[in-house]
Amino acid sequence: MANIFSSSIGKKFVMSISGAFLLVFLLLHASINLAAVASEEAYNMACHFMDTNILIQIMVPVLALGFVVHIVYAIILTLHNMKARPVKYAVGNQAEATFASRNMFVLGLIVLGFLTIHLSHFWAKMQLQHFVGGTATENPYLLVKTTLSNPANAIMYLVWIWALWFHLSHGFWSAFQTLGASNQIWIPRLKVASYIYATIIAVSFTIVPLYFVLFAK
């Protein structure tokens, strides 16, 4: 068993499974974010629900752990490939490789870098305070509004979101290919589904900073 997960195929398998956690996490996060566009009351209620619902309290750490595993294995697999022959992450014919497939690790680093900033902006001032015994912000909506109404922050988040779009547009179908869906019927369908999913996520996240920088008073 250890040999399986230490192999290149085993690492890709772990990345695919952990990537599925990321897909669910992003859908949940995007849904909560859109509540901020609806109203201050709706967003604060959504945040309160996230902070108090026992199922959410269990699910979010599990999904976040999947995200961490995905990052760790991406680094391990990339370093392994640098030392050995250049095995791409679930990419078949190099002639058909896209910008996203050729730059998955770089895109992942961009996403990770901005994620660190995102956590310092919001998670550290909201959820983290519950764990360290501090005082969490009393009005999450006001925190989001203050942060994203700053044009520099809004632009930074837009760059992050669309780097994420490229990463997801390849990673979604590539994960399924690694898990065995590699026939010529399903791969084209999964590629279409990848673009649809990545676009839904990116547009959902884009709406929020644009709303606060352009329309929120």
Side-chain angles (χ1 to χ4, degrees):
M1 182 64 70
N3 290 334
I4 294 175
F5 289 103
S6 63
S7 68
S8 178
I9 296 298
K11 292 184 179 74
K12 291 179 182 180
F13 179 81
V14 173
M15 282 191 66
S16 299
I17 295 296
S18 58
F21 281 72
L22 175 59
L23 299 180
V24 177
F25 184 86
L26 288 172
L27 279 175
L28 176 64
H29 197 23
S31 301
I32 297 299
N33 282 5
L34 286 174
V37 177
S39 71
E40 178 176 349
E41 181 182 15
Y43 184 71
N44 286 341
M45 287 179 60
C47 289
H48 178 73
F49 175 77
M50 293 283 289
D51 288 339
T52 57
N53 184 274
I54 185 62
L55 293 178
I56 297 296
Q57 292 297 299
I58 295 172
M59 182 173 67
V60 169
V62 172
L63 295 176
L65 178 60
F67 192 20
V68 172
V69 170
H70 187 75
I71 294 169
V72 170
Y73 268 81
I75 295 172
I76 292 173
L77 185 60
T78 300
L79 292 176
H80 172 78
N81 289 342
M82 287 179 176
K83 294 179 180 179
R85 59 190 179 86
V87 179
K88 298 296 184 179
Y89 173 49
V91 178
N93 190 339
Q94 185 63 25
E96 298 177 357
T98 63
F99 169 82
S101 68
R102 291 192 301 269
N103 297 279
M104 284 294 284
F105 185 68
V106 174
L107 290 168
L109 289 179
I110 294 172
V111 172
L112 178 60
F114 281 112
L115 177 63
T116 304
I117 297 173
H118 174 68
L119 292 176
S120 68
H121 280 163
F122 301 111
W123 182 76
K125 299 175 182 178
M126 296 165 66
Q127 287 85 1
L128 179 61
Q129 296 303 317
H130 296 296
F131 296 102
V132 299
T135 302
T137 180
E138 296 182 358
N139 190 331
Y141 178 87
L142 183 59
L143 175 62
V144 173
K145 178 180 178 180
T146 302
T147 303
L148 295 183
S149 61
N150 181 325
N153 285 340
I155 292 172
M156 177 182 65
Y157 273 94
L158 291 174
V159 172
W160 174 39
I161 290 163
W162 288 96
L164 180 63
W165 181 90
F166 279 105
H167 193 77
L168 291 174
S169 67
H170 174 74
F172 183 102
W173 72 264
S174 180
F176 282 99
Q177 184 185 54
T178 299
L179 294 174
S182 58
N183 66 67
Q184 295 304 310
I185 296 177
W186 277 103
I187 287 298
R189 294 175 181 176
L190 288 170
K191 287 183 177 180
V192 171
S194 296
Y195 284 111
I196 292 173
Y197 172 85
T199 301
I200 289 173
I201 292 296
V203 170
S204 297
F205 276 108
T206 296
I207 288 171
V208 180
L210 285 182
Y211 170 77
F212 281 104
V213 79
L214 296 176
F215 304 111
K217 303 297 182 182

